[in-house]
Amino acid sequence: MENMATRTQTAQRPNGSAQGKICQFKLVLLGESAVGKSSLVLRFVKGQFHEYQESTIGAAFLTQTVCLDDTTVKFEIWDTAGQERYHSLAPMYYRGAQAAIVVYDITNQDTFGRAKTWVKELQRQASPNIVIALAGNKQDLANKRMVEFEEAQNYADENTLLFMETSAKTAMNVNDIFLAIAKKLPRNEQASGASASGQGRRLAEGDTGARAAGSCCK
Amino acid sequence: IFVGTWNVNGKAPPTDVENLKRWLNCSDEPPDIYAIGFQELDLSKEAFIFNETVREAEWQKALEWSTHPKAKYRLVGIVRLVGIQLAVMINYTHFEHVSNVAVDYVGTGILGKMGNKGGVAVSFQLHNTTLCFVNCHLAAHVEEVERRNQDYNDINTKINFKRHPQAIKDHDQIYWLGDMNYRIRRLDTHEVKKHIAMGDLNTILCHDQLNQEKERGKILAGFEEGDINFQPTYKYDVNSDRYDSSEKARAPAWTDRIFFKGKGIYQQLYRSFMELKISDHKPVNALFRSEIGIVNREKYRRIHEDLLKSMDKLENEFLPQVTIDSTDVVFDTVKFREPQAKDIIVANTGMVPVDFKFIQKNDEKSYCKEWLRITPFCGRINPGEKSDIRLEINLEQALQSLDDILVLHLEGGKDLFITVSAKCQRSCFTMSVSTLCRCPVPILNLTPEQLKHAENGQSQVLYSVPRELWLLIDFLYRKALKTRDLFESSALHEEMKKIRECLDSGTLDQISDSPYAVAESLLIFLSFTKDPVVPYHLHKRCIEACESFAQCKEILEQFHKLERNVFLYVCMFLQDLLKYSVDNGLDCHGLSIIFGDILMRTPMRNTPKPHCRKKTRFIEQFLTNDLSDLIQVNKQ
């Protein structure tokens, strides 16, 4: 049982499989509290939705694998606390991440403003080739919309972000946004063997963040 | 799959390739794969020693000219050891499904290297099936059966493609061809020829050494061979169909053979080809229908995805999980050196044991602030069990509030944040001398405005030393000049607390009943002033000057005025105490040690030993010399 939990994985392939390689990527979700970060992850990973999702106090961790044409992409997802008082801890999670989803709530203009500051912070402090996606969540409440689609799309275009409006409730675009990220991630690295077991995954303790971006097992 | 073997006896390919074509075209439909093995491709010394030959290119060209006209072929791999050569070609429409091509060879001649005997092999993967072709030329002569067995086994075990599959035996399908060189036992040339003439091959085959050795389990375990319906392929007079008519008159034998091993191989044809007469051997070939595994991509993908999904699910289910009864720990108002503790309960609600530990945030050097203690800060909790974690705070600094966010990390899983906070009650302890000298009323009675002005030095200096310091020392002057062990016995916490409250809130009552508590409070007061009484930047010079009172005095003049007052005030008091040393048992050196360490404390509070001695010496200067002239200056 323990072994399963520690995730020391070696990519085993059947003889001459069609699948090329397994790439492992660290993905972080950022955004104002109550915009639906945890709900997006829960929908993506478990296909569930809870109307009253508990507030995340910490950084939740889940994994999910998606298959592309010739590659299997395994996301290690860090779902961070949105409350402002935990803001200073965010770098622990986006440092060393290869992908980030910055989430806002389309019914709340303030959360869109907050999303922009997250994007700025990522552009300044995260790894330079991080893939950033902007998710306008709660699309199911479009009748209460406060952030226009075009406005967000233009902002995303200016900053070369992936952009989708999503709904964790109806599942709209949830898988799609993760897939779009997976497609955009560089998959040419052929780092040695399996990466990340428990501790290797995190970048805090003494690790100055000099980790290779994305590790692929061929 | 067309598999052919021919000992060409060092001959160049025939100029007329018509017969070669007829050999290679034995079916209407073109074979998908050609595997052609030659032996004795070149018998020259050059070939033998340098392993170089023009024959390779010549024969390869001849082969390319002669393959089936209904298909085009591409070379998969070619390998040669002296005269033993193997070329594998594939219908070019299948070429894109070939992968993982590798070749290797094993010499079994002299030194196991040089030599015209041995084996060569080509390995590759077609779709999802791994194929291996081996061409060998084993030791000659009737009596060399053991030698041939050994050669075979050397080749079989030593061929190594240095990737997966490594060895011959690891392949899905193996085709073994070559001049095996096994002969006919116990029948003489004449008898063999007689049976051949009668068309009675079976009698001779019973005496075939190869069949016998194979049956004995010495060679070719698990390999199959098609029925031999062709006459022995060795040894002929060149350019004829006549068996060896030379003096040696060697008995004819089936030296040239083809074997196969693996699933889904069906032999269609096994024959020799008499029309090619340039060699003393006739070529032999076989035709196989072989099943090649092709991955159903759609199905593979579906299964692969389902598998990954269930693995994800498992993985996520087996992540460490805990709940904490409180992620927001708020303490009561915290007072100077009055520790408080609270427990949080961490419960393992997951399915696996949890290893937890508190980890550093970003670039901070510890996992919590210095006023907080966490016990235990790491540990293991089994599923269904709980663990208490004690958070203990102790205030020894001038802070308005205590705030920290702890990151509780679960090994291999998530992080939880725990917020710790407390309001602080200000105290005269931890204030700066400058602030205290400007306070018109006890510290707790100050308005925020008054405090602010006192702290940034805007308000007037009202006292030459802090009132609180004066109260402590005044008490000791009055009650404790003759008390023994004054700075050595520690006091009760309650008494200390009462003194602190008296000083902070201002009271007309006696500040204490206990000289020991007051003495200890004095030490604590001087230990926790915002800055050390002797300014930190002067410590080095104090240490250097410690042997000369004149120099020590000079340094004293560099102190801020109020710190200088405090320093001299304390030293005067200590000098007065020492006048009663007969009663109180104090001595100058002992006091200098205690006060040197406090008045000249370093931020880290661990001074190297030699410095300690010199600090003591510095204080000693002020306890043993007359200070009256300094006081005079002060009064001006």
Side-chain angles (χ1 to χ4, degrees):
Chain A
M1 267 165 65
E2 247 176 285
N3 275 342
M4 261 182 249
T6 51
R7 281 195 301 284
T8 341
Q9 78 159 54
T10 340
Q12 285 283 353
R13 295 191 303 132
N15 207 359
S17 78
Q19 244 58 27
K21 46 189 167 178
I22 297 181
C23 298
Q24 201 152 311
F25 293 107
K26 178 179 168 185
L27 180 148
V28 62
L29 280 99
L30 299 166
E32 182 78 85
S33 94
V35 296
K37 295 181 295 301
S38 300
S39 295
L40 282 174
V41 176
L42 196 67
R43 170 61 76 186
F44 175 55
V45 173
K46 298 187 176 166
Q48 299 171 352
F49 178 78
H50 303 312
E51 197 69 51
Y52 299 100
Q53 175 69 33
E54 259 181 59
S55 174
T56 307
I57 299 174
F61 176 82
L62 286 168
T63 65
Q64 179 74 359
T65 312
V66 296
C67 296
L68 297 178
D69 297 335
D70 59 340
T71 322
T72 305
V73 172
K74 179 167 180 174
F75 284 118
E76 297 181 336
I77 304 167
W78 285 95
D79 170 26
T80 64
Q83 291 173 43
E84 186 50 41
R85 60 172 164 166
Y86 303 123
H87 180 179
S88 66
L89 299 176
M92 290 173 72
Y93 304 99
Y94 66 65
R95 213 186 284 165
Q98 287 94 33
I101 303 182
V102 177
V103 187
Y104 68 93
D105 170 358
I106 65 160
T107 69
N108 182 337
Q109 183 73 40
D110 290 348
T111 64
F112 183 56
R114 190 73 192 83
K116 289 180 179 176
T117 41
W118 275 119
V119 170
K120 256 185 225 134
E121 182 169 337
L122 287 174
Q123 286 168 339
R124 221 175 35 241
Q125 298 189 50
S127 86
N129 37 17
I130 189 170
V131 173
I132 306 173
L134 181 68
N137 195 36
K138 306 196 187 176
Q139 200 280 339
D140 50 292
L141 303 176
N143 55 344
K144 294 181 190 164
R145 171 192 291 283
M146 298 299 286
V147 182
E148 288 310 316
F149 182 89
E150 289 74 18
E151 185 188 356
Q153 182 70 63
N154 289 340
Y155 170 74
D157 290 346
E158 284 161 23
N159 289 276
T160 54
L161 314 174
L162 286 167
F163 170 63
M164 287 185 198
E165 284 194 349
T166 57
S167 167
K169 190 171 181 175
T170 67
M172 184 186 112
N173 277 345
V174 175
N175 285 346
D176 308 64
I177 197 161
F178 281 92
L179 265 174
I181 291 169
K183 281 182 189 153
K184 215 176 159 189
L185 282 165
R187 268 165 282 136
N188 45 357
E189 295 98 326
Q190 303 203 351
S192 58
S195 84
S197 61
Q199 206 54 39
R201 207 185 50 246
R202 72 164 323 111
L203 290 167
E205 298 101 331
D207 191 333
T208 47
R211 196 172 82 152
S215 35
C216 293
C217 326
K218 179 101 184 145
Chain B
I1 299 179
F2 181 108
V3 179
T5 176
W6 191 13
N7 184 321
V8 295
N9 195 222
K11 299 293 192 303
T15 39
D16 176 11
V17 294
E18 224 22 68
N19 279 326
L20 199 55
K21 275 187 180 169
R22 287 184 52 215
W23 178 46
L24 294 173
N25 293 275
C26 57
S27 56
D28 289 342
E29 288 308 306
D32 291 309
I33 295 171
Y34 274 108
I36 311 291
F38 294 122
Q39 304 85 33
E40 298 190 359
L41 194 74
D42 193 335
L43 293 170
S44 69
K45 282 232 161 52
E46 289 78 4
F48 184 75
I49 296 167
F50 303 116
N51 198 18
E52 281 172 9
T53 175
V54 292
R55 291 279 189 266
E56 176 175 331
E58 288 171 5
W59 274 103
Q60 190 53 31
K61 197 155 214 160
L63 285 180
E64 280 165 18
W65 275 99
S66 313
T67 50
H68 207 286
K70 288 189 190 167
K72 286 197 180 110
Y73 293 89
R74 285 189 66 168
L75 189 66
V76 173
I78 185 163
V79 56
R80 186 174 57 77
L81 171 70
V82 189
I84 310 165
Q85 173 178 304
L86 175 65
V88 178
M89 293 169 288
I90 192 160
N91 187 327
Y92 81 103
T93 56
H94 301 309
F95 189 77
E96 60 172 313
H97 305 296
V98 171
S99 60
N100 231 354
V101 180
V103 301
D104 193 30
Y105 57 83
V106 169
T108 59
I110 303 158
L111 299 174
K113 253 187 173 184
M114 272 174 52
N116 49 354
K117 297 295 190 290
V120 297
V122 174
S123 159
F124 65 98
Q125 183 172 327
L126 178 58
H127 288 281
N128 205 38
T129 300
T130 53
L131 297 120
C132 182
F133 295 90
V134 188
N135 174 24
C136 70
H137 191 186
L138 308 183
H141 306 301
V142 184
E143 63 282 7
E144 293 285 7
V145 174
E146 282 307 321
R147 179 73 222 208
R148 282 190 278 280
N149 290 355
Q150 185 185 306
D151 286 357
Y152 163 81
N153 284 307
D154 278 355
I155 296 163
N156 194 27
T157 53
K158 286 183 184 163
I159 290 278
N160 182 346
F161 297 108
K162 296 182 180 66
R163 49 103 176 110
H164 183 79
Q166 279 199 352
I168 293 173
K169 64 174 169 50
D170 301 332
H171 291 75
D172 296 326
Q173 297 185 357
I174 307 160
Y175 300 88
W176 192 296
L177 52 130
D179 181 353
M180 309 295 287
N181 249 332
Y182 289 87
R183 308 299 168 87
I184 305 300
R185 209 192 292 261
R186 288 202 196 88
L187 287 179
D188 64 25
T189 309
H190 176 71
E191 283 174 296
V192 173
K193 284 184 179 170
K194 193 180 79 189
H195 285 292
I196 293 169
M198 285 157 51
D200 175 18
L201 297 179
N202 286 338
T203 310
I204 324 175
L205 279 168
C206 291
H207 295 89
D208 176 54
Q209 288 174 335
L210 192 149
N211 289 351
Q212 289 171 350
E213 294 305 301
K214 188 171 183 303
E215 228 153 81
R216 286 174 58 206
K218 294 290 184 187
I219 51 163
L220 291 163
F223 278 89
E224 294 174 65
E225 186 183 21
D227 293 337
I228 296 182
N229 293 314
F230 51 89
Q231 61 188 57
T233 51
Y234 176 78
K235 175 178 184 173
Y236 291 87
D237 289 339
V238 171
N239 292 324
S240 79
D241 291 336
R242 191 171 60 243
Y243 283 109
D244 187 12
S245 59
S246 71
E247 259 175 48
K248 288 184 189 163
R250 289 199 177 85
W254 285 283
T255 52
D256 308 285
R257 312 280 277 264
I258 296 166
F259 303 88
F260 60 95
K261 182 177 171 181
K263 270 190 200 156
I265 307 177
Y266 307 96
Q267 187 157 7
Q268 308 285 301
L269 181 74
Y270 194 23
R271 63 158 186 177
S272 67
F273 190 72
M274 298 300 280
E275 285 86 341
L276 283 167
K277 301 179 188 192
I278 53 173
S279 167
D280 55 352
H281 289 253
K282 299 290 180 195
V284 168
N285 76 282
L287 201 62
F288 298 100
R289 275 193 84 77
S290 302
E291 291 172 353
I292 298 297
I294 298 176
V295 175
N296 179 333
R297 289 213 162 216
E298 205 33 58
K299 208 167 167 186
Y300 176 88
R301 190 189 184 84
R302 223 167 38 237
I303 291 169
H304 184 80
E305 274 176 32
D306 286 351
L307 199 71
L308 288 173
K309 275 209 182 77
S310 51
M311 277 170 64
D312 279 341
K313 190 160 173 267
L314 266 179
E315 208 176 311
N316 288 327
E317 272 172 12
F318 283 97
L319 284 174
Q321 296 294 350
V322 299
T323 56
I324 307 182
D325 63 335
S326 169
T327 55
D328 209 347
V329 182
V330 183
F331 285 89
D332 298 333
T333 300
V334 56
K335 296 172 186 170
F336 178 71
R337 278 166 68 93
E338 281 180 38
Q340 292 181 37
K342 278 184 190 287
D343 288 347
I344 53 171
I345 303 164
V346 182
N348 185 341
T349 52
M351 302 171 75
V352 291
V354 167
D355 288 310
F356 71 86
K357 74 172 176 189
F358 288 89
I359 59 168
Q360 285 142 277
K361 302 179 281 286
N362 303 321
D363 302 322
E364 288 177 23
K365 56 184 187 293
S366 175
Y367 55 83
C368 71
K369 298 267 172 64
E370 66 280 5
W371 42 262
L372 180 63
R373 210 170 64 180
I374 307 173
T375 34
F377 76 96
C378 67
R380 166 173 280 217
I381 311 171
N382 285 320
E385 291 180 4
K386 292 175 180 179
S387 178
D388 283 3
I389 295 176
R390 169 150 293 206
L391 305 178
E392 214 176 336
I393 58 170
N394 186 21
L395 178 67
E396 292 190 331
Q397 295 156 280
L399 293 171
Q400 290 193 320
S401 65
L402 303 182
D403 294 286
D404 199 2
I405 301 173
L406 309 177
V407 181
L408 178 61
H409 174 62
L410 310 183
E411 189 76 45
K414 66 178 175 181
D415 293 351
L416 296 102
F417 298 160
I418 301 164
T419 309
V420 178
S421 59
K423 282 206 180 97
C424 302
Q425 180 179 301
R426 64 174 174 258
S427 169
C428 62
F429 294 79
T430 72
M431 287 285 166
S432 74
V433 169
S434 153
T435 305
L436 290 173
C437 288
R438 291 166 210 266
C439 290
V441 290
I443 195 97
L444 287 176
N445 302 345
L446 288 173
T447 63
E449 190 83 329
Q450 284 173 314
L451 180 66
K452 196 177 132 201
H453 288 153
E455 275 178 337
N456 56 27
Q458 283 173 333
S459 50
Q460 225 187 331
V461 174
L462 302 171
Y463 304 102
S464 52
V465 296
R467 195 183 59 94
E468 292 77 4
L469 179 66
W470 181 83
L471 280 170
L472 292 168
I473 288 181
D474 179 62
F475 176 96
L476 294 173
Y477 263 119
R478 286 184 290 112
K479 307 260 176 180
L481 286 177
K482 293 181 178 180
T483 308
R484 292 196 75 83
D485 301 332
L486 201 53
F487 295 106
E488 283 158 35
S489 314
S490 69
L492 293 173
H493 286 306
E494 274 311 303
E495 288 172 336
M496 305 288 296
K497 189 175 151 189
K498 192 185 153 221
I499 293 171
R500 186 187 52 70
E501 277 168 358
C502 283
L503 295 177
D504 284 343
S505 56
T507 173
L508 298 173
D509 297 345
Q510 179 82 294
I511 57 169
S512 181
D513 301 322
S514 160
Y516 296 112
V518 176
E520 195 178 340
S521 294
L522 174 63
L523 294 181
I524 289 171
F525 179 85
L526 295 170
S527 298
F528 287 95
T529 47
K530 191 157 172 279
D531 303 300
V533 174
V534 178
Y536 182 61
H537 69 275
L538 295 177
H539 285 194
K540 197 167 160 247
R541 293 186 50 202
C542 294
I543 286 162
E544 285 162 3
C546 70
E547 294 304 332
S548 152
F549 183 52
Q551 284 180 33
C552 289
K553 281 199 289 187
E554 270 176 39
I555 298 167
L556 183 67
E557 296 317 315
Q558 317 235 345
F559 284 29
H560 291 299
K561 190 174 162 224
L562 295 171
E563 272 84 6
R564 182 178 178 279
N565 291 349
V566 168
F567 184 81
L568 285 174
Y569 183 47
V570 170
C571 289
M572 291 285 292
F573 165 64
L574 294 177
Q575 281 202 4
D576 288 339
L577 263 183
L578 286 171
K579 288 177 188 155
Y580 296 88
S581 57
V582 180
D583 301 299
N584 58 31
L586 294 167
D587 70 278
C588 179
H589 188 66
L591 284 181
S592 300
I593 293 174
I594 295 171
F595 281 85
D597 194 43
I598 289 173
L599 296 174
M600 301 174 75
R601 69 171 198 265
T602 54
M604 300 309 293
R605 293 201 188 183
N606 47 357
T607 317
K609 270 273 147 51
H611 287 186
C612 283
R613 266 199 302 280
K614 291 186 173 169
K615 283 181 180 178
T616 303
R617 189 75 195 105
F618 181 81
I619 302 296
E620 248 170 346
Q621 294 286 5
F622 289 91
L623 299 195
T624 50
N625 285 292
D626 182 13
L627 304 178
S628 50
D629 58 327
L630 294 164
I631 311 283
Q632 290 305 317
V633 173
N634 195 28
K635 277 177 181 164
Q636 290 163 9

